[in-house]
Structure formats: structure tokens, C-alpha cells
Amino acid sequence: MVSYKELGLVNTREMFAKAVTGGYAIPAYNFNNMEQLQAIIMACVETKSPVILQVSKGARDYANINLLRNMAKGATQYAHELGYDIPVVLHLDHGDSFATCKECIDNGFSSVMIDGSSLPYEKNIELTRKVVEYAHQYDVTVEGELGVLAGIEDEVSAAVSHYTHPDEVVDFVSKTGVDSLAISIGTSHGANKFTPEQCTRNEEGILIPPPLRFDILKEIEKKLPGFPIVLHGSSSVPQEYVKMINQYGGKLKDNVGIPEEQLREAAKSAVCKINIDSDGRLAMTALIRKVLAEKPEVFDPRKYLGPARDALKQMYMHKNIDVLGSANHA
Ligand code: G3H
Ligand code: 13P
Ligand code: ZN
């Protein structure tokens, strides 16, 4: 058993309480390798933002849980070395079973998500409560989910979506004892959230997708005043990176993500954790493609992963400062 406290990590409790009253959201960025982690830590230290490092099942399969845990430990030391101790959470993203959550808790994670959203309601409650009972013995915080997000992305898939029913949230939270709740109000996983046909165009010709269901969010907030709400599937799919990828031989569709203004609005409410993975993938891939296309003589990975890391860092800084509002809250 490794406690996250020995690793210099924190759980989400205090972080969320401050974010809810402060009108901002904590960034929850997924990582799978060193360059992504460096970019996240550099950006969050430079903007003085708390951060949630998210590890998916795909990440654990790819990078190994021991390595990831020690990387998170190293990340807290790296932040210190960079000159500012930011609060760092190591969080299991989309835990699919009690066994997965237990393994992560026993291996130094300070927060876990148990995603029972595709189960029948009572089964979701049962599974989530079991995880909460185990996690709370070790002061690990738990995120549950109600409602199903659309989108198909690797390990996390749901062909259909249904919005969270506000009538269920009080019952779910009180019966499970979760510390935060992920809801479905129109976001979805992956880089293909909305096709151009689903959007309208503004005066500048920019595609605007249908707005998030802020009415549902407001109703949920009314039922659970001050309770931490989580938004998954919150990448904005920056068009500059989609274009760059396609310019240098990629083949991405012309689809769009969640507009930054809508995320900013959500962050001012009880939404206190915003999950972003796909945007990091896009920025990294764009820069790697660009460098390899423009400098075909390059074969040192540092020569293309370095510029990718720089672009990632800039993007995360922008999100912390201009979108989530988490800058200067560490
Ligand atoms: O929400 C899902 C994340 O984007 C994780 O994706 O399973 O491919 O690592 P992944
Ligand atoms: P995106 O695919 O929109 O980045 O969402 C990531 C996410 O929700 C991770 O849990
Ligand atoms: Zn997610």
C-alpha cells in the first residue's frame, strides 16, 4: 500500500471547495508520457494553478501504473524546483470497476473516478458507494457520474448520450457519498464533437456548435448548492492545430469542440473540474508533424518532442488563464 500523502500529492476536497466559491475550475489534464507531464507542470507552475493529473485505463496500459505514480511524485518535486509548490492530484479517469479503483488507491492515487454511468441507476449507486467506502478509509476522494456522454474515443465509448436528470442528483449523491459528480450537458469525448452540419456560422464564418445545456446545470446547482460538478469531454479542438495536422499530411475531419466562452461560463458556476485530453493530443501531433515535415533530417526525438512540449505548455497556460480561470489560485 502506497499512500498518496507520501508522494506529496493532495486529494480534491480543499481544491474543489475553493474553486466552487472562487468561480473557477481546476484543470484536469490527461497524461501518458514525460513530455505531456512536463508541459502540464510547467504551465501550472508558471500560471500558479492547482492541477489534476488524469490517468486513463489506456494510459495505465501504455505507461505502467508504477511509472505513472512515480512520475506524479516527481512532478511535485519538479514544481518545487521550478519555484512554486502547486497542489497536485493524481486521479484515475473513468475507473470501470471496484478492482481498478482499489488498485489505484493502493498505488498512490489521491482521487478516483468510478464511472458507472452506463449501468442501470441502482447498480451505479451500488458500485459507486462501494468505491466511496473503500476510498474514504484512505482519505481518497471519489468522482461519480450520472448521465451518458456521446462520442467514441478509444477506451471510453458511448454511441448515444443522455443528459443528466436533475431529479436524480440529490438521491445519487446522498446514497453514494461521492465527493464530486460528473454530469452530461452536451459535451462529448474526442476530437469530433460536432460536425459542421450540426453548427451555425457567426459573422466571421466561424462554426458555432449548439450551446451546452446550461439550464440543466442550473437546475442541478439548485438541487445541490455548492456541490462540486465535473465536466468531461471539454476539449475545444483548436482549429489551428487541426489545420496544422492536415497541412502536414494528417487526415482529421473538419469538426469542432466546445467553445472556450462556454467553458468559461461553466467554470464560473459549480463546475469545478474540467477534463481536457484531446486538445493536448492535437497540439502535440501538430507540432511533431510540422517539425518532421520541415526538417526531414531530424531523427533525435528531443528535436520534435521538445517543440511539441512547448506548444502544449502554451496551450495549457492559455486554458488556465483565459478559459478555466484557475491561474493564481494555487
Ligand atoms: O476520457 C477519456 C480520455 O480521453 C482517455 O482516453 O483511454 O485513450 O487514454 P484513452
Ligand atoms: P476530451 O476528449 O474532450 O479532451 O475529454 C477528455 C475527458 O473527458 C477525459 O476524461
Ligand atoms: Zn471523460
Side-chain angles (χ1 to χ4, degrees):
M1 177 90 200
V2 180
S3 165
Y4 68 86
K5 293 176 186 172
E6 297 158 25
L7 307 178
L9 303 165
V10 296
N11 68 22
T12 57
R13 201 164 289 127
E14 194 185 327
M15 210 181 254
F16 283 173
K18 287 184 181 163
V20 170
T21 51
Y24 60 93
I26 313 285
Y29 297 133
N30 289 68
F31 81 103
N32 300 263
N33 64 34
M34 185 187 74
E35 283 78 9
Q36 288 173 320
L37 183 57
Q38 287 176 316
I40 295 168
I41 295 298
M42 286 191 281
C44 291
V45 166
E46 216 158 299
T47 57
K48 294 191 167 62
S49 168
V51 69
I52 297 173
L53 302 173
Q54 293 206 131
V55 169
S56 68
K57 178 173 168 15
R60 282 181 302 120
D61 292 346
Y62 178 78
N64 180 276
I65 194 166
N66 285 310
L67 270 177
L68 290 167
R69 174 225 307 159
N70 283 298
M71 284 168 80
K73 177 185 179 186
T76 64
Q77 295 167 346
Y78 181 44
H80 183 79
E81 228 176 83
L82 290 175
Y84 202 80
D85 287 309
I86 52 170
V88 178
V89 170
L90 180 61
H91 175 78
L92 167 66
D93 192 22
H94 293 282
D96 59 351
S97 65
F98 174 77
T100 303
C101 292
K102 181 179 182 303
E103 191 196 2
C104 289
I105 293 164
D106 294 353
N107 274 283
F109 282 56
S110 57
S111 171
V112 293
M113 174 191 192
I114 176 68
D115 183 355
S117 61
S118 58
L119 297 173
Y121 182 67
E122 293 300 332
K123 291 275 174 217
N124 187 1
I125 290 182
E126 201 181 303
L127 175 62
T128 305
R129 188 175 51 215
K130 190 172 170 193
V131 171
V132 170
E133 277 167 8
Y134 186 76
H136 282 182
Q137 290 176 51
Y138 303 99
D139 205 16
V140 168
T141 40
V142 180
E143 173 183 324
E145 177 160 345
L146 266 184
V148 179
L149 270 71
I152 297 174
E153 186 74 7
D154 302 331
E155 300 285 347
V156 183
S157 69
V160 289
S161 72
H162 65 74
Y163 299 126
T164 305
H165 299 298
D167 288 343
E168 289 178 348
V169 298
V170 172
D171 186 59
F172 185 83
V173 165
S174 60
K175 284 186 178 155
T176 58
V178 282
D179 302 282
S180 59
L181 182 68
I183 61 165
S184 173
I185 57 165
T187 62
S188 59
H189 290 109
N192 296 304
K193 300 186 195 305
F194 302 101
T195 63
E197 294 72 42
Q198 290 173 294
C199 302
T200 52
R201 281 188 193 274
N202 69 9
E203 305 87 64
E204 292 119 55
I206 293 168
L207 290 168
I208 309 292
L212 297 178
R213 291 290 304 269
F214 283 100
D215 55 323
I216 298 178
L217 174 60
K218 285 214 176 74
E219 258 190 82
I220 292 171
E221 277 190 275
K222 243 189 256 162
K223 306 228 179 223
L224 290 173
F227 191 79
I229 299 298
V230 177
L231 275 194
H232 281 247
S234 297
S235 278
S236 297
V237 190
Q239 294 300 297
E240 57 172 311
Y241 293 130
V242 173
K243 284 201 186 90
M244 201 184 280
I245 288 172
N246 289 342
Q247 181 187 344
Y248 294 105
K251 259 201 178 115
L252 294 186
K253 291 184 184 143
D254 257 356
N255 294 342
V256 301
I258 312 297
E260 292 185 342
E261 307 72 52
Q262 292 192 35
L263 294 171
R264 183 74 208 99
E265 192 181 334
K268 285 182 186 153
S269 73
V271 170
C272 64
K273 171 174 179 270
I274 291 190
N275 286 13
I276 295 167
D277 185 2
S278 299
D279 284 356
R281 298 177 182 197
L282 292 168
M284 202 159 192
T285 302
L287 269 291
I288 290 172
R289 279 193 175 278
K290 183 175 193 293
V291 174
L292 292 180
E294 288 178 348
K295 299 178 181 164
E297 72 285 1
V298 160
F299 71 101
D300 177 346
R302 293 171 297 188
K303 295 278 193 298
Y304 50 87
L305 293 175
R309 183 178 64 190
D310 294 343
L312 263 184
K313 177 190 166 193
Q314 292 308 320
M315 188 189 74
Y316 291 138
M317 286 181 64
H318 162 66
K319 288 187 186 291
N320 293 352
I321 296 167
D322 305 315
V323 186
L324 281 70
S326 63
N328 295 315
H329 287 292

